[in-house]
């Protein structure tokens, strides 16, 4: 948390510097790559460049920031989402699921939500941890955002019990999908009546 705060302060002073971002990325240093993500121009990267960067980004925070701060803002995001979702590398596939979760929440038109639930139901239980986490997030988001699929999403979460015993700090919502869905729907309903 402290390092992220310091990096953000440095990035604020540096502002956007694409050439510097590329040089920082090439160092293969985690802190330098995080700073690169903060000072780059997300739309300046080509599809193949982003694909290569993701495959090089093995530190979880670098991977997450790259997907959330760069790829989501890039014109190739949808093409990469589809390609990564089908990738045999579970870390790369987790990026595809993260981008799919974004689509589920913001632009679900054209997505086969029931089909996504089929895949989650068949594969999430035995998926490697990072992929499992991303699939679980998508499961929860479908349940939160799409009332017609909510019961099915909750049922899948209850049957698979993925992250059921995940340690959760006081005041935080559990990542166990049935609990997460119920809490977020409760908050949305409370906001509507406030």
């Amino acid at each position: 948390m402290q390092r992220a705060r310091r990096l953000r302060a440095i990035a604020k002073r540096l502002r956007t510097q694409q050439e510097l971002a590329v040089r920082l990325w090439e160092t293969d240093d985690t802190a330098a790559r995080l700073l690169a993500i903060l000072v780059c121009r997300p739309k300046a990267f080509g599809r193949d460049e982003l694909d290569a960067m993701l495959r090089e980004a093995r530190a979880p925070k670098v991977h997450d920031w790259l997907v959330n701060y760069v790829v989501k803002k890039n014109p190739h995001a949808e093409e990469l989402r589809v390609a990564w979702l089908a990738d045999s590398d579970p870390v790369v596939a987790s990026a595809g699921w993260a981008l799919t979760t974004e689509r589920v929440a913001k632009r679900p038109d054209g997505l086969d939500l029931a089909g996504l639930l089929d895949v989650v139901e068949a594969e999430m239980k035995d998926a490697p941890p990072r992929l499992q986490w991303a699939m679980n997030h998508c499961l929860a988001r479908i349940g939160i955002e799409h009332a017609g699929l909510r019961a099915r999403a909750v049922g899948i979460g209850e049957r698979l019990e993925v992250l059921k015993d995940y340690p959760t700090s006081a005041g935080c919502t559990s990542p166990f999908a049935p609990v997460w869905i119920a809490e977020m729907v409760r908050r949305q309903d409370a906001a509507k009546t406030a």
Side-chain angles (χ1 to χ4, degrees), residues 27-39:
T27 67
D28 196 25
D29 175 77
T30 297
R33 284 186 165 181
L34 291 171
L35 184 58
I37 289 165
L38 294 173
V39 300

Side-chain angles (χ1 to χ4, degrees), residues 14-27:
L14 291 173
R15 296 190 173 161
T16 302
Q17 294 190 39
Q18 182 67 12
E19 193 175 307
L20 174 61
V22 170
R23 289 198 317 266
L24 287 169
W25 186 269
E26 290 170 352
T27 67

Side-chain angles (χ1 to χ4, degrees), residues 101 117 120-121 124-125 132-145 149-166 168 173-186:
T101 301
L117 289 177
V120 168
E121 191 166 27
M124 183 173 73
K125 181 82 170 173
Q132 186 181 68
W133 186 272
M135 292 174 91
N136 183 70
H137 190 175
C138 191
L139 171 65
R141 189 54 56 193
I142 290 171
I144 293 163
E145 302 293 338
L149 294 169
R150 187 168 297 142
R152 181 167 179 221
V154 169
I156 291 169
E158 288 172 345
R159 278 190 306 285
L160 298 182
E161 297 185 337
V162 169
L163 302 173
K164 183 177 183 178
D165 298 321
Y166 192 84
T168 306
T173 303
S174 169
F176 178 49
V179 172
W180 190 357
I181 293 166
E183 176 58 21
M184 297 309 291
V185 170
R186 184 196 66 75

